[in-house]
Amino acid sequence: MSAKRTTQRKVTISQIAKEAGVSKTAVSFAFNDPSQLSPATVNHIRAIAERLGYSPDPIARSMTTRRTNALGVLLPQDIAATMANPFFPLFLRGVGAVCGTTGMTLMLVPPLWGSMLKAIPHATVDGFIVVGLEIDRGEVQQLRRRHVPFVMVDGDAPNDVPLININDRQGAYEAMTHVLSLGHRRIAIVCLESWHHRYEEFTGTLAARFAGYRDGLAAYGRSIDDPDIQVIATPTSRAGGVEVFMRLWQSDRPPTAIVAMSDITALGILEVAQAHGVHVPEALSIVGFDDLPEAERTIPPLTTVHQPIEEKGRLAAEMLVAALDDENSEPIHHVLPTELIVRGSTCAPVCASLIEST
């Protein structure tokens, strides 16, 4: 004889209302808009719902409240590639701290079929944190057209869009003047990859850091157009650092110092330089930008520009939650400080012939 199969019927709000002695509307308020009820009534209804084994349908709830209670972080690459850069776990830790205190969930939104534009309409989130995109990118324009709340991080933004930036220009200036003060004159600037291929067209973070490097050169009577100053763009990854080192080191006059716009790229350069027998810092000084935890554990430790990555994520999430709670909240443009951290990956060029007259 076969065992009779039993199925447990889903608990409905009608059952909860009957058990609690309240209306179905009150049950809905208890889960979707508790401010409409007294705390005692909310606790009474939720206790009965828990005893009966009720769980709200998230889809039905979002249709009622028109909220998903989810924040989206728009990623420039697929999740695996993004998380390979230690910058993003630190940034997301800050975002996650806010989610934990506000009851929000977090959705990572990578490109869909290779396109961030296609990913945006499919993401069931209340708003986005947009990292590292320039204001003229189509994704940013689409968010504005669709009136989706969003906060920009590391970029330019109009006055009506919340923005979190660091003092990129000052940080880059300090990095450049540091290697110049040591006596380096053959310097390579390793830029973040951009859809703008000419540095005159850079925008956002890229433009700010590049301006800082130019300011530093000018302070020493140098120019970005000097023959011994090289500008090269590469993907923001260890592999990008490897590629750029191979290109630079095969040139007729390789640099004595490399100033990179990201730590992950600088770390790739450091590793491949040592693998090829290039002594750091005696034969090649390297400066990064970010101050990732790994930067102080390399041999030698990496000289870099510190930025408060986790705090940046926390502030961006707080600003987005504030915008969601109050559509009329005043957008804030917040700039966080940077600091040059000098470690063992930089020193004066060892060979005097590498130092040209200033």
Side-chain angles (χ1 to χ4, degrees):
M1 187 172 75
S2 61
K4 187 174 181 180
R5 195 174 176 186
T6 60
T7 57
Q8 186 174 3
R9 298 183 64 185
K10 186 174 181 179
V11 178
T12 66
I13 63 171
S14 296
Q15 292 172 271
I16 299 170
K18 182 177 180 181
E19 185 79 12
V22 298
S23 66
K24 291 191 291 183
T25 300
V27 176
S28 178
F29 279 152
F31 289 97
N32 299 321
D33 192 4
S35 64
Q36 299 292 327
L37 306 172
S38 70
T41 302
V42 171
N43 292 336
H44 173 62
I45 294 171
R46 289 184 174 179
I48 289 173
E50 184 175 356
R51 175 165 58 81
L52 294 177
Y54 172 76
S55 59
D57 183 335
I59 297 177
R61 180 176 181 178
S62 65
M63 291 177 66
T64 300
T65 63
R66 298 192 179 277
R67 291 279 294 269
T68 65
N69 278 342
L71 305 182
V73 177
L74 193 61
L75 303 177
Q77 299 172 294
D78 62 64
I79 292 177
T82 298
M83 299 305 285
N85 184 348
F87 172 95
F88 278 97
L90 283 172
F91 180 81
L92 293 173
R93 186 187 299 172
V95 177
V98 175
C99 290
T101 59
T102 58
M104 306 290 284
T105 58
L106 177 61
M107 176 181 287
L108 303 183
V109 185
L112 181 64
W113 302 306
S115 168
M116 285 187 286
L117 278 171
K118 293 176 181 176
I120 291 172
H122 289 82
T124 52
V125 299
D126 294 325
F128 285 94
I129 296 171
V130 181
V131 184
L133 291 189
E134 294 143 333
I135 190 62
D136 52 354
R137 285 287 296 261
E139 296 85 353
V140 176
Q141 299 307 315
Q142 184 183 100
L143 291 171
R144 289 175 67 80
R145 286 195 304 269
R146 293 166 61 90
H147 303 290
V148 177
F150 68 102
V151 173
M152 293 191 68
V153 178
D154 290 345
D156 293 329
N159 292 334
D160 61 337
V161 174
L163 172 69
I164 296 289
N165 265 341
I166 59 171
N167 196 337
D168 289 289
R169 188 166 186 164
Q170 179 64 25
Y173 171 84
E174 292 179 359
M176 179 59 73
T177 54
H178 171 63
V179 296
L180 287 165
S181 71
L182 292 173
H184 293 278
R185 297 297 179 264
R186 298 213 316 252
I187 302 168
I189 298 171
V190 179
C191 295
L192 309 174
E193 200 171 42
S194 170
W195 68 334
H196 295 301
H197 300 295
R198 289 159 39 89
Y199 60 76
E200 296 89 352
E201 299 172 347
F202 289 164
T203 60
T205 296
L206 191 55
R209 293 186 188 177
F210 197 77
Y213 295 144
R214 297 182 80 158
D215 293 345
L217 288 166
Y220 277 75
R222 301 283 165 168
S223 165
I224 205 75
D225 298 318
D226 288 353
D228 281 338
I229 304 299
Q230 301 181 66
V231 179
I232 188 167
T234 193
T236 308
S237 64
R238 289 180 187 271
V242 170
E243 179 204 3
V244 81
F245 171 82
M246 299 306 296
R247 290 166 60 187
L248 289 169
W249 217 247
Q250 291 168 4
S251 65
D252 294 335
R253 289 172 60 82
T256 64
I258 295 177
V259 180
M261 285 193 184
S262 73
D263 271 3
I264 193 67
T265 305
L267 292 170
I269 293 169
L270 175 61
E271 291 170 4
V272 71
Q274 293 176 325
H276 281 73
V278 178
H279 295 287
V280 177
E282 294 84 1
L284 177 66
S285 286
I286 303 172
V287 182
F289 201 118
D290 287 330
D291 195 21
L292 300 175
E294 187 180 348
E296 62 179 343
R297 298 196 295 265
T298 58
I299 301 175
L302 183 67
T303 295
T304 186
V305 177
H306 173 81
Q307 64 161 311
I309 301 171
E310 190 171 334
E311 183 182 0
K312 188 189 291 186
R314 178 182 60 79
L315 287 172
E318 288 176 350
M319 291 168 68
L320 181 55
V321 170
L324 293 171
D325 290 342
D326 180 6
E327 295 181 357
N328 297 316
S329 63
E330 191 70 23
I332 298 172
H333 285 198
H334 200 102
V335 180
L336 298 171
T338 58
E339 179 186 2
L340 178 69
I341 307 296
V342 178
R343 298 194 179 106
S345 69
T346 52
C347 75
V350 170
C351 180
S353 65
L354 295 178
I355 306 176
E356 298 181 2
S357 63
T358 59

